Amino acid sequence: MLDFLQTAVWALIALGVLVSFHEFGHFIVARWCGVKVLRFSIGFGRRLVSRYDRHGTEFTISAIPLGGYVKMLDEREGTVAPNELDRAFNRKSVWARMAIAAAGPIANFLLAIVLFWGVFLGGTSGPVPVVGKVEPGSLAAVAGLEQGQEILAVDDHPTPTWQALNWRLANRLGDSGHIKFSVRYPDSSLEYHMYADIERWLAGREVPDPMEEIGVSLWIPEPGMTLSQIIPGSPAERGGLQVGDEIVSTDGQVFDAWDDWTSYIKARPEQPVQVTVARDGAELALTVIPDRVKLDGGEEIGRIGVAPAGASWPEDKVRRYHYGMLSALNKGLEETWSKTLFTLDSLKKLLLGQLSTRNLSGPITIAKVAGTSANAGWQSFLSLLALLSISLGVLNLLPIPVLDGGHLLYYGIEAIKGSPVSERVQMIGLQVGMAMVLGIMALALYNDILRL
């Protein structure tokens, strides 16, 4: 219950920030253009809290927190007093109306820049992408990737960290052709180029994992044999194992690697095993009987309910970056630009069928990710906010009536032909646009429910 409440709070914070900045963009530019703003609302539906400023604008928080709106004085929506006609939105020049419509998405891009700026000011770090294992017969194996190689670049784009490698591979989802890997062997300065052929790579896959799909596991330090977690009520707890115990031997065998030890336990469901541990300077012999657990594929394994203490990363396997005020701002600009291009490319692939529509996510998934990222730390949460802000900016610029991009399309036509688009055409466009937006929202929500 507590986890649910935390997730809900972080989701509301994320949506509140994104919507507030988007609508503030419309609001402030409308004010600059001399348009009277009647209401600034975060959320839709029944107004929960409201107050008025000295300009007569109502600021309100409404019951449904899935968006917001700025209501402006407009003759098309009601009678306007003669002395306020010059403050009506529809009386402003087409260029002023275009500026007001574009201001919301622009505010989202500016927010992303500021958020990324904050992330880079705090410094970033990430594991070096060194190949740990290569799955036989996989794309990586066919390309020639080997254990111990460092992946320097993908398609000539540098990949200094795991995160950078994942992003570069994600850019190739749905593509055909080949992926170029630039690699280096340990203790060598020579760079080698390897190629993996792809054809509509993972085009129909739901929420694909690029690293897993190419068949590569990146290197991580081996955990030790010391226990860091005992699941309450598990065979380990019943057998007397405790946090801090170090596994010395099992059935007389000594295991140096955690994976080898867990494989031994998995192979013995409901069979007593003698586990010798070191505790407080002494060795204790304990008997543990693994539970029989059936996996999704039908395989049955033994499980005792323990986790190892994490191993520390060697300094040469972690890259750390520190930025000053200006260099962090420059990185924020670069990151916003690259993620905007990635979002546009993903939309194109969705339209062309190169990406599955199952990748669309709605409010439930966003809420889960917001909660997870917040638990991971402030930099993770700010990065997520920046990505969501970019997505909101891009989506609102799509030329779909009811979205900002649809209004910009109408105003662009008006600027070219010298007169507004007819009311009939606008009404048809509104109906079509509303159907499209509702359809996309329904699909995203459906995907969310399937993931529960």
Side-chain angles (χ1 to χ4, degrees), residues 63-82:
I64 306 173
L66 298 179
Y69 63 93
V70 171
K71 183 178 181 180
M72 291 169 274
L73 190 67
D74 195 315
E75 290 178 281
R76 296 167 299 179
E77 297 182 7
T79 304
V80 177

Side-chain angles (χ1 to χ4, degrees), residues 169-197:
L169 290 174
N171 273 273
R172 298 305 309 274
L173 293 174
D175 287 350
S176 299
H178 64 255
I179 302 175
K180 177 184 176 182
F181 295 95
S182 301
V183 302
R184 180 172 60 206
Y185 286 93
D187 303 320
S188 172
S189 60
L190 297 177
E191 186 174 316
Y192 298 86
H193 303 299
M194 301 172 178
Y195 298 86
D197 294 325

Side-chain angles (χ1 to χ4, degrees), residues 5-23 42-43 65-68 108 111-112 115 362-375 378 380-390 392:
L5 290 175
Q6 288 179 335
T7 297
V9 168
W10 286 115
L12 288 173
I13 291 173
L15 288 172
V17 170
L18 298 177
V19 171
S20 296
F21 269 83
H22 181 90
E23 299 305 335
I42 304 301
L66 298 179
N108 284 124
L111 174 61
L115 291 171
I364 298 175
T365 299
I366 291 173
K368 287 182 177 179
V369 175
T372 302
S373 65
N375 290 332
W378 67 270
S380 177
F381 185 65
L382 292 189
S383 295
L384 174 69
L385 278 183
L387 290 173
L388 292 175
S389 193
I390 289 169
L392 186 60

Side-chain angles (χ1 to χ4, degrees), residues 151-164:
I151 302 175
L152 302 173
V154 170
D155 299 327
D156 296 322
H157 294 279
T159 55
T161 63
W162 282 16
Q163 298 93 321

